Amino acid sequence: MTDTPTKTILVTTGATSPFPSLLSAALSAPFLATIRSLGYTDLRIQYGDCQKLFQTLSAAAFPSCGSITLTGFSFADDFRTEVTHADLVISHAGSGSILDALRFQKRLVVVVNGALMDNHQKELAEELGSVGYLVEGSVENLHEAAKKAETFEFKHFPAGGSGKFCDILDEEVGLNLD
């Protein structure tokens, strides 16, 4: 008997600031219908401090999931392992999560949390998106961003790309990370 191949999406809402609107978008009927049509079989959601919201939304979304296996977790001791098993990463625009996905050359959709004050995430996402490392998405168009990521010609992040990433962060945000 052969194993059926899986196709996994990892959604990460972040560890330090709640992002309930991304969680809601990832469990919406349009998003679930889109990823099902794209052949995804597994949806893993890192929901951070929003466990009750995840439980409520996932129960409501269950009929829309169809054949998609939905699992969630608050935090991972080894987040990089989660990233390595994903075919597509949908991430809040935190620099650590972005860098992990880029290091493992994953298809990446980044959604900026507009509720954050002094939001440097937007500049970071725009800069990395403009050079082809990621697809910018929003909670309003998450299903369309996932569709775009399927055919988008992603630029591979260089193996020693951490320095380039720090340069972009420094240029956009004014951080001196050297």
Side-chain angles (χ1 to χ4, degrees), residues 102 105-107 128-134 152-158 164:
L102 293 176
Q105 299 184 356
K106 296 297 177 175
R107 295 182 162 297
L128 292 170
S130 72
V131 293
Y133 290 123
L134 56 86
F152 188 77
E153 292 292 326
F154 286 92
K155 184 175 178 183
H156 288 295
F157 203 63
K164 182 174 179 65

Side-chain angles (χ1 to χ4, degrees), residues 102-169:
L102 293 176
R103 281 182 178 146
F104 291 104
Q105 299 184 356
K106 296 297 177 175
R107 295 182 162 297
L108 176 61
V109 172
V110 169
V111 179
V112 174
N113 186 347
L116 297 178
M117 293 186 65
D118 192 26
N119 198 346
H120 65 274
Q121 292 185 353
K122 183 164 180 49
E123 292 87 7
L124 179 61
E126 286 175 351
E127 178 67 24
L128 292 170
S130 72
V131 293
Y133 290 123
L134 56 86
V135 169
E136 288 182 75
S138 69
V139 293
E140 296 82 15
N141 78 353
L142 192 61
H143 62 289
E144 292 174 13
K147 198 181 305 183
K148 180 178 179 180
E150 281 296 297
T151 57
F152 188 77
E153 292 292 326
F154 286 92
K155 184 175 178 183
H156 288 295
F157 203 63
S162 296
K164 182 174 179 65
F165 186 81
C166 289
D167 290 345
I168 291 170
L169 231 125

